[in-house]
Amino acid sequence: MSRKVHVKSFGCQMNVYDSHRMADTLAPGGFQETAAPQDADLVILNTCHIREKAADKVYSEIGRIRVMKEAAAAQGRKMLIAVAGCVAQAEGGEIMRRAGSVDLVVGSQNYHRLPELVARAESGEKIVDTEFPVEDKFEKLAAPNRDAIRARGVSAFVTVQEGCDKFCTFCVVPYTRGAEVSRPVAHIVTEVERLADAGVREVTLIGQNVNAYHGQGEDGATSSLGQLLRRLARVPGIWRLRYTTSHPRDMDDDLIATHGELGALMPYVHLPVQSGSDRMLDAMNRRHTRADYLDVIARLRAARRDLAFTSDFIVGFPGETEQDFRATLSLVEEVGFASAYSFAYSSRPGTPAAEMEEQVPDAEKSERLQRLQALITRQWHAFNASFAGQTLDVLLEKPGKLPGQLVGKSPYLQAVQVMAPRAMIGSLVQVGITDIGTNTLFGTLAENKAAPQLAAAGA
Ligand code: SF4
């Protein structure tokens, strides 16, 4: 029987990947994806717990879907509502108590059980499944079929690692995603080969702490992320590799060397630091100092000098003084980022930082955040402006806003818009950059437009 599922993703790329896997796992049971929740027989809200008031936002979204569920019921059609992801993991049965319209709450480790859970929910059972199971979720999740891969484009995410053992005092991930788990290399290679075969040309390896990757290698020994990247660079059809999100402590020599060796590994590293003050880094339990971070950046730059860096910052962590904050500003000045995400600290229930005294007043947090964001924005604009008149390799991904226009990505993850025929989607081309927009670079196809697919690193 053909039915429709709508999966709405909140938060990070890992949730986007999980949403795809959920749809793939339900497909053999007759569920087709729909972009219209009102038409769906099953709506899955794949939630994120990182932002402030995440649970409140989920309850308000459930309220919106409940109206659609009631409209469907009035037409004699049954709609199920499922809540998945980190809020589901953290709130569990509380969701069912507060929102009676929800039929199923499924934690982030149990998506492979969805066909069975949905079948039980369809027969009227209310289900909460947030246990951390012993079986391997990844290998039980269905692989996408060729059509699904093609529909998702030429750039794909592949989760290689999940969970985190670092326990930063502000973060819920170790509680919602559990301990670090890495997938075996052979399974990842099979998935990437399947993606490449269906036309994917760029793969971003993702994990909450991706450079802590320590999966079983094809020879039975433990593989590092550097070794995994080298193996994936040999998959025919894969031209570009990226990875995110990393922890400075896990940036080992092998991974750093990989940046100098692999042309397929894009010269762009997202390396969260959170603060430039050692006092704050200690309070955050980051397990690295400012000097450690700067040393990692220097070693990466020595391996490949055109590397671009982005980072995450938390402003106004409990106890942060003006002096601590200035240490963050000076670190930003010292590194020079291509861009960065910055947030005012907000507490997450259940984390040690939520219990800390010396919470910084909101007004102070927002004043500091403005100063930091002004500096980051200046660096971001200067980074983009440095490409005016340059030629960049661009992987063309999808149609742009204007007729005849395509949008692609530069090696540094910048969006690049260029006039080019639709048939060139999936091509790696050289683009001469003519204009710099706020979020986008504009250019024209270079005369010799085919880019060398695996350009030498270390340029
Ligand atoms: S390393 Fe990242 S995911 Fe792990 S606890 Fe710290 S902030 Fe959270």
Side-chain angles (χ1 to χ4, degrees):
M1 186 180 54
S2 175
R3 291 165 293 173
K4 291 182 183 157
V5 57
H6 174 82
V7 191
K8 177 160 184 179
S9 264
F10 299 82
C12 66
Q13 296 107 328
M14 292 200 64
N15 266 12
V16 175
Y17 179 85
D18 283 347
S19 294
H20 288 160
R21 289 291 80 75
M22 283 191 250
D24 296 336
T25 297
L26 289 164
F31 276 102
Q32 287 178 345
E33 272 191 271
T34 174
Q38 66 276 12
D39 296 340
D41 303 287
L42 168 63
V43 174
I44 302 176
L45 301 176
N46 191 11
T47 61
C48 169
H49 208 307
I50 293 294
R51 297 279 181 277
E52 193 176 12
K53 300 196 176 85
D56 293 350
K57 284 174 192 155
V58 171
Y59 287 114
S60 98
E61 187 65 21
I62 293 170
R64 210 174 67 82
I65 304 295
R66 191 195 67 218
V67 175
M68 297 178 199
K69 179 174 179 157
E70 287 166 355
Q75 295 164 5
R77 194 164 58 81
K78 188 168 181 177
M79 177 193 282
L80 295 179
I81 302 179
V83 180
C86 291
V87 173
Q89 192 70 52
E91 297 268 305
E94 177 65 14
I95 294 180
M96 214 65 106
R97 280 188 287 280
R98 279 184 60 181
S101 57
V102 172
D103 302 282
L104 168 61
V105 177
V106 55
S108 47
Q109 300 305 316
N110 303 334
Y111 300 152
H112 57 295
R113 294 184 187 154
L114 266 175
E116 172 219 328
L117 299 175
V118 169
R120 282 166 51 198
E122 278 174 329
S123 62
E125 197 181 334
K126 294 271 186 181
I127 300 163
V128 177
D129 186 357
T130 53
E131 295 299 308
F132 282 90
V134 285
E135 71 258 28
D136 187 342
K137 168 186 88 168
F138 285 112
E139 307 327 323
K140 289 192 183 296
L141 284 170
N145 63 39
R146 213 178 152 80
D147 290 343
I149 296 171
R150 282 178 178 270
R152 290 167 193 163
V154 300
S155 180
F157 296 118
V158 173
T159 295
V160 300
Q161 178 278 341
E162 194 171 6
C164 184
D165 297 341
K166 294 285 187 297
F167 290 92
C168 298
T169 52
F170 53 83
C171 181
V172 290
V173 165
Y175 311 101
T176 58
R177 293 276 178 163
E180 274 173 23
V181 179
S182 297
R183 298 176 65 194
V185 171
H187 297 182
I188 298 165
V189 170
T190 302
E191 183 169 339
V192 171
E193 284 174 344
R194 181 189 281 259
L195 293 170
D197 191 46
V200 167
R201 297 291 167 253
E202 175 180 87
V203 167
T204 303
L205 307 183
I206 52 176
Q208 267 96 23
N209 197 3
V210 72
N211 60 343
Y213 176 82
H214 58 281
Q216 188 187 42
E218 288 167 306
D219 58 359
T222 302
S223 168
S224 66
L225 185 64
Q227 289 167 318
L228 174 65
L229 286 162
R230 287 191 188 94
R231 174 65 186 86
L232 295 177
R234 301 207 311 270
V235 173
I238 295 299
W239 300 336
R240 290 182 159 190
L241 292 167
R242 304 178 186 274
Y243 63 91
T244 196
T245 288
S246 298
H247 191 285
R249 245 181 99 108
D250 294 316
M251 195 56 83
D252 61 26
D253 290 343
D254 183 53
L255 182 55
I256 291 172
T258 310
H259 277 280
E261 292 169 20
L262 279 189
L265 183 55
M266 292 295 96
Y268 177 96
V269 177
H270 180 65
L271 194 59
V273 61
Q274 309 299 356
S275 171
S277 153
D278 281 342
R279 220 172 61 79
M280 289 297 99
L281 291 171
D282 188 43
M284 291 174 176
N285 192 33
R286 286 290 293 172
R287 308 177 194 210
H288 65 81
T289 63
R290 171 194 179 100
D292 294 335
Y293 185 82
L294 292 172
D295 178 59
V296 168
I297 296 279
R299 283 157 57 220
L300 279 160
R301 280 197 168 127
R304 181 158 181 173
R305 67 183 159 83
D306 68 333
L307 272 182
F309 292 98
T310 62
S311 195
D312 294 340
F313 293 91
I314 293 174
V315 168
F317 189 78
E320 185 189 74
T321 62
E322 173 66 19
Q323 200 181 352
D324 294 315
F325 174 65
R326 286 192 185 176
T328 297
L329 292 179
S330 78
L331 180 132
V332 175
E333 296 276 14
E334 200 165 336
V335 174
F337 290 98
S339 72
Y341 300 97
S342 52
F343 305 96
Y345 170 77
S346 62
S347 67
R348 298 290 172 275
T351 58
E355 309 299 319
M356 288 179 184
E357 291 171 1
E358 295 186 87
Q359 298 283 333
V360 176
D362 284 349
E364 237 163 274
K365 282 194 250 185
S366 72
E367 189 266 341
R368 287 180 193 164
L369 185 62
Q370 277 177 29
R371 285 155 67 196
L372 176 61
Q373 289 185 337
L375 174 58
I376 290 168
T377 302
R378 275 204 303 281
Q379 293 192 344
W380 171 44
H381 288 170
F383 178 75
N384 283 346
S386 70
F387 293 97
Q390 306 278 324
T391 299
L392 284 172
D393 291 354
V394 174
L395 177 62
L396 298 173
E397 293 188 348
K398 57 187 178 188
K401 285 193 188 127
L402 302 177
Q405 191 181 52
L406 297 183
V407 184
K409 266 201 247 89
S410 78
Y412 310 100
L413 217 56
Q414 298 143 305
V416 181
Q417 308 216 18
V418 62
M419 300 309 280
R422 213 183 159 103
M424 289 187 77
I425 290 176
S427 304
L428 192 57
V429 296
Q430 294 201 305
V431 174
I433 302 303
T434 51
D435 284 299
I436 310 291
T438 314
N439 293 307
T440 312
L441 308 184
F442 298 89
T444 53
L445 287 178
E447 223 144 85
N448 178 14
K449 57 185 183 292
Q453 288 170 357
L454 297 180

